Amino acid sequence: MAVDHSDSGQDELKAGPRYIVNPWVSFLREYGPIPQNNNMYDESIQRVTRRTKVQPLQFDTGDILDRIVADLNADHPRSVLLTGTAGDGKTYLCREAWCALGGKRAEWDTDAKVKRLRIHNRKKLIVIKDLSELGGSDYKYLERMADSIVSEDPEELFLVAANDGQLVEAWGRTKTSEAVTRVRQLIEELLVGDLSEKAGYGLRLHNLSRTDSSELMAKILVTVQEHVGWRGCEGCLGQTNDVRYRCPIWENLSRLRDSVFTDRLGKLLRLSDQDGYHLPIRQLLILSSNLILGAPSAKNGLLQCRDVPQLVDEKRTGEASIYRNAFGGNLSPDRRANTEVFAVLGRFGIGDETSNQIDNMLIFGSDDPKLISTFDQLVRTDLLYGASSQFLAHQAGYLDGTDRSEIEEFLDILPSARQRLFFTIPPTDVKRLGLWELTAFHFAGEYLDEVLVPLRTGERPSRLILDRLVRGMNRVFTGILVSASRELVLTSSSSYSQSRISRIQEHSISVDPNRGEKVAFELLKERPCLAVHLDRDHKVPLLLNLVKYEFLSRVADGALPISFSRECYEELLSFKTKLLQKWQSLRRTYGEEDPASEREVTIRVMQLDQKGMLVQNPISVKL
Amino acid sequence: MSTELQRLPRPASESIDSSLWVDEAIWGHRLYDEQVPWLTFLEFLTVLRGEWRNDRAFKEPNGPNHLQYPTQHFLYLRNVLFNNPTLSRMLVLHPDDDTRWSNWISDMSKRASGVDPKDFGYLKSRFSSMEDFVALVELLRSTAIEGSSNKRWTSKFVFPYGPHCLYEDLRLERDGRASNDRRFFARTGEILYLMLCRSGLGEELIQELRPLVLDENTRWNRLVHLLERSTSEGEVQNRQRSAYLPYPQLPAFKKLAEDWLALLRLRMPGYDVFPHLVDMVGVHLVLYFLQRASEWVHKKPKLTLVLEILAPKRTTIRDLAAETYLENNLLSRQAIQKFIDREIVQTDDWRLAKGSSDSFGNAAKVVYERVLWKAVEGDQRGYVGQQTPNALIENLREAVAKRHRQHLANIHSQYSRAIGLASKRGTRTLRYAPTDLLLKTLVFATVPNRMEFQTFLELLHERYCFVVGHRQARQFIGTGASDQRAFEENAKRLELRLSSLGMLKRLSDACAYVQNPLGASQ
């Protein structure tokens, strides 16, 4: 559909490039958050592939496929169990493994729930691509699998894929034999303990929900950008640089090349991983598709080529802002909440959270001489999604302040402006503008850059950060606004260790190394933690994640422990209890605990003086 | 049917003070609504201490229901802690220790009660400064049980750090004489003690409890003992009547002991385990109370408690939780009437008496023999009303109901509220809605390490008659009182609550594990 602009002198138009319809774009929609039966995702993609002859997205799943094949082909082969949540790519991997081991595609495409194959080392391989499909009599395969796993030289090998919940349930339903009981126990151990194998058992468990979402997303984005399907856009009017005719789909695609954008997105994903919110491949594909095609007025919230001319004509290109799409802003609140990736990214509150500095700039930036240069640099340069004519009009309307509806209209578009800023503030301005105050986690940037990264490269995070965390812990432990950070105080209230206010100091642990005591950042099985060393041989680790880090930092800065996260508060009180337990048992072991022989007792009661400094009032009593 | 349960013979009528013996026949002598679980626990500890000193812990060497134990009074300690409002003022009013001490000692010599001589001078030599003394007293007051209530000061209790902190509830006459008027130590603690005696796990229990509550040498016990005068009278031998627990054996006794052992073996630091032990006392006493009632009321004893995991708005679960609460609350009242039916009205003796010439007189004799109603004792002088068997029964029913209402009828509501099993939170009616502390207690007691969530729900049902999820709620879903979805959401809310308490690990949508953070491998 060509656009008529009889008043403009644009040569391009007179010559007649029009908006093209590219079937690849329609195909890309299939990956997006359109309502469909989740279980059939892979199958429906396959179906559309066959029908339209478009190449589906194919990307490198890392070396998992190689490892699966190696395990099954080895001299001492192991059965393989693939687990994870829906959308982790289990079916995909099973199929790829089947083909890599010599299986025929045609055979795979049949309906059979249990497939058999003879593989290189002459063993029989039994593949179950979805455990939930098994019916009553098929459960005998699980019994056989159990036998295979516990035997030294199994005749049959198994490749099974299942969600972890189904896994546990299915084994619960299998007829009990000694092998089944042992294997059920084994699987539970592996799942809950995050392990992949145990000596003496011929099984390898791959938990696909333990992958690094940000790495995977980076691969997906590259694959999407480089897909041949985009060639179908060549010659389309939308590829012009003139913002009056620019196609939002093409614009979003090119913005994917912006490293600041992909870097920020990667950070959000890595931080979500940290907090235990794993996003499977399917969800990342949904995100990718939504980033490029999202627009609230389109059908199902995703653009098709034929929607573009009208959108552009009505100057509503800004609706397709890639920055808003990142959070599902193009979808209804219900669908957003029910789509995992947007629920997870929504945790950061980007769009709603803000600071005075940022909002001042967004609201008064056009006018105020102090803010103009920042506004120009950060907003005005982006004519499509930043200082679009729509934005500027609403901003003026708001400042004018007379019309109630104009005020509300501006407030309605502020969130997307904030979302855009999150992805575009240049690295050099991150500190000055307080980038992370645009999220619910003000300390997230610091957590990533100054704790996680140093730890992974073998360095130590700064002492200031350690001090802050220790101070936060002390405040939670005692319930008082102490500022002590040289030592970790273990307190109780004489009767209970978990009282909200515990003033009696039982013990204190030096943060600086002192005769085996210390408090330090460490890595525990690849996860960052704060380790409290009670002596040279005994330590108790506190696993860190973003929420806990934020919690402790905020409490150290003065927030009430209950206010940010109830869960963190409880966790830290439990941690204190663990420390006290450990310390008491150590004292017993070393024979230091002999109350009968105590002649004098000193009770250290903690109080704050007028300046807020910790003062200990010892009560000395002769017994 | 309770007649199938073996019951022990009641005590000799001369040793029974009560005007009626119906409540006691069913539930024992006695459960008491004003003795909340913490006070029950404290009374229990005083019994345990006394019996342990006499090498009889958790044993009934003189046969069942012959419990007599020595107690302690520690009135100097109690005067210092709870009858001593002017203490902190001393620090402000006077500049130096000597003046402070002498003023305070003289004040106490006038104010103190129940002790002779009223001389508190012994304290001066035990503290290097009065500030230290005051600080210690204030610390102990802050952890006291019922310390801030408006109960009489002799019904306030120091935290049970050890055997020198255990004393009995007392009433002081004006002349200083002390007696246990059974106001707050009303024997429910003794019932608890007898239940544990008969659990079959006495040995194990004493092994775990001894280092925790019976060790004289713990620091805090010694500190508290500092406040008591060394020459005060030690133990007080009691010639009290024994408590009466009708049942020589019940599975409930063993369950209570098992829960306590599970909690104790977690080796929580300090005295952290106490609130959980107390919660369990509440849970088991409530269940005991309701189950005995159910045995009289229902053909097949059956108990259900639907728990609402707090929801932001009203759901059918809330309605069911309120309904089951209400039904259970009325059970005991029905039970006592059924007791009258089966123990009197439906018996041959009664029929014979009715048909005899002196129908009233003989009927009265039957009544007295069965339930020891003082009103019809001997020549029935205390009886007011028509002198016919039917009127007699009617009046008896009324008397029984009235007496029951005064105390025992309230056990279910009082105890449920005290332990956080029932509340009005978010609504106007009482219903079962467990608090976080109670949920923690349940996980600590029943999950040694890790347990699949659905298994946990099943366990809660099988062990405590709690209904949370749909699999245990078939009776409600079948009748259309609620639907599967509502119960599933209720269970989901429980998952979220446990997760926020750090007691749940989620693997995926279908699979969650309840975890005990203090459990074995953690």
Side-chain angles (χ1 to χ4, degrees):
Chain A
M1 213 164 74
V3 173
D4 216 357
H5 277 270
S6 40
D7 57 325
S8 96
Q10 296 291 328
D11 289 321
E12 285 177 296
L13 285 180
K14 285 266 171 55
R18 291 158 165 31
Y19 286 105
I20 296 176
V21 174
N22 185 351
W24 159 243
V25 171
S26 305
F27 184 72
L28 191 56
R29 283 180 94 244
E30 297 290 320
Y31 285 99
I34 52 182
Q36 64 186 14
N37 184 348
N38 263 337
N39 283 342
M40 306 292 281
Y41 190 84
D42 188 68
E43 282 77 352
S44 75
I45 297 275
Q46 297 299 313
R47 238 184 301 120
V48 178
T49 305
R50 287 194 286 272
R51 190 183 65 213
T52 62
K53 308 278 186 280
V54 178
Q55 274 271 49
L57 283 174
Q58 216 130 347
F59 45 88
D60 155 33
T61 48
D63 57 354
I64 288 208
L65 181 58
D66 296 333
R67 278 153 57 192
I68 295 175
V69 172
D71 269 334
L72 293 170
N73 267 340
D75 290 330
H76 291 289
R78 287 171 186 262
S79 289
V80 174
L81 201 45
L82 295 178
T83 185
T85 59
D88 262 327
K90 301 186 288 300
T91 312
Y92 180 86
L93 274 172
C94 278
R95 186 178 61 238
E96 297 301 302
W98 172 269
C99 296
L101 288 164
K104 299 216 186 353
R105 225 10 233 277
E107 241 189 277
W108 179 267
D109 287 337
T110 63
D111 274 338
K113 304 194 177 62
V114 179
K115 305 192 206 295
R116 291 175 200 68
L117 183 67
R118 268 226 184 259
I119 56 180
H120 292 208
N121 49 16
R122 296 275 219 97
K123 304 278 186 186
K124 192 159 68 159
L125 175 66
I126 299 186
V127 181
I128 302 176
K129 75 168 171 17
D130 186 351
L131 198 56
S132 64
E133 288 178 339
L134 283 191
S137 62
D138 294 328
Y139 275 92
K140 63 176 184 285
Y141 285 105
L142 286 185
E143 292 172 51
R144 281 159 64 175
M145 182 175 182
D147 288 331
S148 156
I149 292 175
V150 302
S151 102
E152 294 241 334
D153 187 23
E155 287 271 309
E156 307 177 307
L157 292 174
F158 287 80
L159 171 60
V160 175
N163 291 354
D164 44 25
Q166 289 159 0
L167 202 51
V168 172
E169 232 180 313
W171 283 103
R173 279 199 229 124
T174 311
K175 206 157 54 142
T176 23
S177 68
E178 204 216 305
V180 167
T181 313
R182 282 172 67 193
V183 170
R184 183 176 34 221
Q185 182 75 322
L186 167 71
I187 290 182
E188 198 184 286
E189 247 182 81
L190 297 179
L191 277 177
V192 178
D194 260 347
L195 304 163
S196 68
E197 72 223 32
K198 186 171 173 182
Y201 292 92
L203 175 69
R204 183 105 59 196
L205 175 74
H206 289 285
N207 194 338
L208 299 174
S209 57
R210 294 283 172 263
T211 49
D212 183 339
S213 316
S214 67
E215 262 177 44
L216 204 46
M217 186 66 180
K219 283 193 199 147
I220 292 176
L221 286 179
V222 167
T223 310
V224 169
Q225 284 172 58
E226 293 177 356
H227 195 275
V228 298
W230 291 113
R231 296 216 201 111
C233 284
E234 262 157 40
C236 173
L237 174 58
Q239 289 184 324
T240 174
N241 284 328
D242 185 339
V243 296
R244 285 177 295 167
Y245 309 110
R246 181 85 167 162
C247 166
I249 299 175
W250 190 254
E251 176 67 26
N252 288 342
L253 179 65
S254 47
R255 294 216 184 193
L256 284 183
R257 284 185 244 286
D258 175 9
S259 63
V260 175
F261 173 77
T262 45
D263 185 60
R264 295 277 155 79
L265 187 61
K267 286 195 157 118
L268 291 182
L269 292 172
R270 201 170 317 133
L271 288 169
S272 300
D273 271 348
Q274 271 288 305
D275 274 349
Y277 290 94
H278 161 73
L279 285 170
I281 294 182
R282 182 178 309 161
Q283 293 296 319
L284 297 178
L285 289 170
I286 288 179
L287 178 60
S288 312
S289 171
N290 201 60
L291 278 172
I292 300 175
L293 302 175
S297 55
K299 176 170 170 215
N300 285 327
L302 294 171
L303 286 171
Q304 300 184 68
C305 284
R306 58 168 190 261
D307 295 327
V308 173
Q310 187 181 18
L311 199 70
V312 170
D313 196 39
E314 292 172 12
K315 300 210 191 331
R316 291 186 294 121
T317 317
E319 271 181 26
S321 162
I322 187 177
Y323 308 111
R324 188 163 158 234
N325 293 341
F327 301 102
N330 54 313
L331 305 171
S332 71
D334 228 15
R335 199 129 64 79
R336 202 183 311 143
N338 284 325
T339 308
E340 204 184 330
V341 61
F342 300 125
V344 169
L345 289 178
R347 282 178 73 236
F348 290 95
I350 299 178
D352 293 322
E353 298 281 328
T354 186
S355 66
N356 283 338
Q357 190 182 19
I358 299 265
D359 266 11
N360 278 343
M361 190 264 293
L362 284 174
I363 297 172
F364 302 111
S366 287
D367 267 359
D368 188 331
K370 276 183 277 169
L371 301 168
I372 279 188
S373 67
T374 315
F375 185 78
D376 283 347
Q377 177 203 353
L378 291 178
V379 185
R380 212 186 279 283
T381 43
D382 185 348
L383 295 170
L384 270 175
Y385 299 142
S388 64
S389 46
Q390 203 194 37
F391 178 85
L392 292 172
H394 283 309
Q395 186 192 44
Y398 179 78
L399 289 173
D400 187 36
T402 47
D403 191 338
R404 181 86 227 163
S405 65
E406 283 190 14
I407 291 176
E408 279 171 19
E409 267 166 20
F410 183 65
L411 291 175
D412 280 340
I413 60 171
L414 257 188
S416 17
R418 296 179 188 131
Q419 285 163 343
R420 184 188 151 274
L421 278 179
F422 178 78
F423 286 111
T424 53
I425 289 181
T428 42
D429 286 326
V430 161
K431 267 210 167 55
R432 178 173 74 89
L433 291 170
L435 171 78
W436 290 96
E437 288 178 54
L438 281 168
T439 75
F441 298 96
H442 298 177
F443 294 91
E446 186 191 84
Y447 181 61
L448 266 178
D449 299 328
E450 294 179 48
V451 177
L452 284 187
V453 164
L455 277 178
R456 292 261 159 78
T457 58
E459 282 168 29
R460 223 151 266 287
S462 127
R463 180 54 198 264
L464 287 173
I465 295 184
L466 184 60
D467 276 354
R468 193 200 309 136
L469 293 188
V470 169
R471 192 177 330 127
M473 292 211 295
N474 282 336
R475 288 186 175 186
V476 174
F477 287 0
T478 61
I480 328 177
L481 271 178
V482 302
S483 46
S485 59
R486 294 278 113 139
E487 48 185 12
L488 192 62
V489 285
L490 299 183
T491 56
S492 75
S493 71
S494 86
S495 47
Y496 304 132
S497 71
Q498 290 207 4
S499 312
R500 197 163 290 187
I501 305 209
S502 304
R503 287 178 184 276
I504 301 186
Q505 183 178 317
E506 303 280 351
H507 185 52
S508 76
I509 299 168
S510 167
V511 173
D512 286 316
N514 183 5
R515 275 185 260 201
E517 277 185 1
K518 73 173 175 192
V519 180
F521 284 103
E522 289 175 17
L523 273 182
L524 188 68
K525 274 206 269 187
E526 306 289 310
R527 308 249 336 250
C529 77
L530 206 55
V532 177
H533 292 251
L534 292 163
D535 69 17
R536 254 180 269 278
D537 306 311
H538 297 95
K539 70 178 180 195
V540 187
L542 176 73
L543 280 175
L544 287 177
N545 58 22
L546 179 59
V547 180
K548 227 176 284 183
Y549 188 82
E550 180 79 20
F551 173 77
L552 283 175
S553 303
R554 288 206 190 192
V555 169
D557 276 358
L560 284 177
I562 297 278
S563 61
F564 183 69
S565 164
R566 172 75 191 278
E567 195 172 335
C568 280
Y569 179 66
E570 294 280 342
E571 246 187 279
L572 280 163
L573 284 186
S574 290
F575 183 63
K576 176 171 73 153
T577 302
K578 259 190 245 175
L579 286 172
L580 277 170
Q581 251 179 336
K582 191 88 196 174
W583 175 66
Q584 274 175 6
S585 87
L586 278 181
R587 290 195 77 199
R588 274 194 288 271
T589 324
Y590 295 148
E592 276 167 28
E593 184 112 313
D594 185 16
S597 65
E598 275 182 320
R599 286 280 154 260
E600 189 175 304
V601 159
T602 309
I603 309 170
R604 281 179 259 279
V605 182
M606 306 180 88
Q607 270 159 16
L608 292 181
D609 70 7
Q610 277 152 345
K611 295 208 199 79
M613 300 300 292
L614 198 58
V615 164
Q616 274 178 24
N617 271 337
I619 307 176
S620 286
V621 181
K622 287 202 226 335
L623 291 174
Chain B
M1 294 252 299
S2 193
T3 44
E4 286 166 12
L5 258 189
Q6 195 198 354
R7 278 190 294 157
L8 294 163
R10 72 177 174 223
S13 13
E14 312 81 65
S15 59
I16 291 182
D17 269 341
S18 350
S19 58
L20 254 186
W21 191 264
V22 174
D23 290 343
E24 292 81 350
I26 302 176
W27 291 287
H29 182 61
R30 56 178 170 160
L31 296 182
Y32 194 69
D33 61 337
E34 282 184 49
Q35 188 171 4
V36 291
W38 250 111
L39 293 176
T40 303
F41 182 62
L42 284 178
E43 186 184 20
F44 160 78
L45 288 176
T46 60
V47 178
L48 179 64
R49 188 212 67 90
E51 291 295 272
W52 178 70
R53 286 283 265 165
N54 289 330
D55 281 321
R56 298 194 290 253
F58 293 125
K59 301 194 182 81
E60 288 186 276
N62 300 326
N65 300 323
H66 281 88
L67 185 62
Q68 277 193 348
Y69 55 96
T71 58
Q72 299 173 121
H73 285 182
F74 292 142
L75 278 161
Y76 283 95
L77 163 70
R78 290 156 89 166
N79 269 290
V80 169
L81 288 181
F82 304 120
N83 187 25
N84 184 9
T86 60
L87 180 62
S88 29
R89 257 192 276 148
M90 295 293 152
L91 293 179
V92 176
L93 291 175
H94 307 286
D96 67 289
D97 263 12
D98 278 334
T99 342
R100 290 167 177 168
W101 276 114
S102 59
N103 271 293
W104 182 71
I105 291 172
S106 124
D107 185 54
M108 286 303 277
S109 68
K110 299 188 207 94
R111 165 194 302 283
S113 174
V115 291
D116 183 37
K118 299 190 188 188
D119 177 9
F120 289 79
Y122 64 93
L123 287 164
K124 187 168 170 188
S125 57
R126 297 183 184 181
F127 291 92
S128 43
S129 74
M130 191 160 202
E131 266 173 8
D132 283 352
F133 172 58
V134 173
L136 180 62
V137 169
E138 282 179 351
L139 257 176
L140 290 175
R141 281 179 185 163
S142 71
T143 58
I145 313 293
E146 298 283 342
S148 50
S149 75
N150 52 9
K151 290 191 168 69
R152 60 193 183 191
W153 67 267
T154 49
S155 293
K156 299 188 178 187
F157 302 90
V158 72
F159 188 87
Y161 298 106
H164 290 121
C165 306
L166 302 173
Y167 49 77
E168 64 173 344
D169 182 40
L170 287 176
R171 172 192 157 95
L172 277 185
E173 310 294 342
R174 254 181 246 286
D175 59 4
R177 265 183 313 128
S179 65
N180 184 349
D181 61 347
R182 296 274 164 221
R183 178 106 171 77
F184 296 109
F185 272 21
R187 294 191 189 279
T188 313
E190 296 179 5
I191 294 281
L192 174 60
Y193 177 79
L194 290 178
M195 287 184 174
L196 291 174
C197 282
R198 300 175 194 178
S199 67
L201 292 169
E203 285 293 319
E204 292 86 336
L205 278 170
I206 197 64
Q207 214 181 4
E208 298 293 331
L209 285 171
R210 204 193 42 74
L212 195 56
V213 300
L214 297 173
D215 185 0
E216 282 183 1
N217 292 318
T218 61
R219 164 187 297 194
W220 283 98
N221 184 60
R222 293 171 77 194
L223 279 171
V224 169
H225 196 47
L226 257 192
L227 299 176
E228 178 64 23
R229 192 181 167 116
S230 8
T231 56
S232 74
E233 92 319 63
E235 287 182 342
V236 175
Q237 294 306 324
N238 266 315
R239 291 276 155 264
Q240 83 252 133
R241 302 189 174 117
S242 169
Y244 169 75
L245 180 62
Y247 310 98
Q249 272 241 31
L250 276 182
F253 301 163
K254 185 149 184 251
K255 278 190 200 167
L256 170 58
E258 283 168 348
D259 284 346
W260 266 29
L261 281 172
L263 288 168
L264 290 164
R265 285 174 179 154
L266 292 176
R267 300 262 179 280
M268 297 188 201
Y271 304 95
D272 281 8
V273 72
F274 282 4
H276 301 293
L277 295 177
V278 171
D279 270 358
M280 268 314 174
V281 167
V283 168
H284 284 281
L285 284 181
V286 165
L287 289 176
Y288 169 79
F289 179 70
L290 294 176
Q291 266 156 353
R292 300 292 83 67
S294 167
E295 274 153 14
W296 286 93
V297 175
H298 300 128
K299 281 214 227 326
K300 269 182 67 175
K302 187 176 75 91
L303 201 53
T304 311
L305 290 82
V306 172
L307 301 188
E308 176 200 345
I309 309 299
L310 215 53
K313 53 183 162 68
R314 185 173 170 177
T315 58
T316 47
I317 307 294
R318 177 172 296 177
D319 294 338
L320 282 173
E323 236 177 77
T324 47
Y325 176 86
L326 207 58
E327 268 171 33
N328 291 340
N329 214 27
L330 294 172
L331 268 181
S332 66
R333 270 168 260 220
Q334 298 167 304
I336 49 178
Q337 298 301 337
K338 290 273 189 232
F339 181 89
I340 308 268
D341 286 345
R342 277 193 229 123
E343 293 289 297
I344 300 181
V345 179
Q346 289 164 6
T347 61
D348 292 333
D349 285 349
W350 180 256
R351 272 194 283 276
L352 281 174
K354 266 183 93 165
S356 70
S357 45
D358 179 17
S359 61
F360 178 73
N362 287 321
K365 283 207 190 68
V366 173
V367 165
Y368 184 72
E369 196 269 311
R370 291 295 152 91
V371 298
L372 295 181
W373 190 16
K374 289 243 166 25
V376 295
E377 187 178 13
D379 57 0
Q380 301 114 31
R381 234 180 315 170
Y383 177 74
V384 173
Q386 237 194 332
Q387 298 213 343
T388 66
N390 286 341
L392 176 62
I393 279 296
E394 287 318 304
N395 283 313
L396 174 63
R397 286 193 194 282
E398 233 185 84
V400 164
K402 182 168 170 206
R403 184 166 179 264
H404 186 74
R405 268 200 305 274
Q406 276 167 348
H407 289 292
L408 227 66
N410 305 323
I411 293 267
H412 172 244
S413 66
Q414 290 288 71
Y415 277 40
S416 305
R417 271 191 287 192
I419 60 174
L421 176 60
S423 85
K424 280 193 197 173
R425 254 181 318 160
T427 172
R428 269 174 305 170
T429 43
L430 263 178
R431 62 14 181 138
Y432 296 122
T435 57
D436 282 352
L437 185 58
L438 184 62
L439 290 176
K440 272 194 194 174
T441 301
L442 289 171
V443 172
F444 281 143
T446 58
V447 179
N449 186 16
R450 179 176 66 221
M451 185 187 293
E452 213 257 307
F453 184 67
Q454 292 296 336
T455 314
F456 179 64
L457 292 184
E458 186 54 44
L459 182 70
L460 287 181
H461 182 240
E462 181 249 304
R463 201 167 172 83
Y464 308 109
C465 305
F466 292 158
V467 171
V468 173
H470 70 276
R471 289 190 198 166
Q472 294 79 35
R474 273 183 251 277
Q475 71 192 91
F476 299 107
I477 299 175
T479 60
S482 179
D483 55 68
Q484 178 163 328
R485 178 87 187 269
F487 277 101
E488 279 175 348
E489 287 177 355
N490 199 37
K492 186 100 197 163
R493 284 194 295 271
L494 180 60
E495 278 190 42
L496 287 173
R497 287 283 286 284
L498 290 178
S499 183
S500 80
L501 293 172
M503 291 178 145
L504 187 104
K505 186 181 171 107
R506 217 150 215 306
L507 290 183
S508 77
D509 260 353
C511 190
Y513 281 91
V514 180
Q515 286 188 135
N516 182 344
L518 300 175
S521 74
Q522 304 296 334

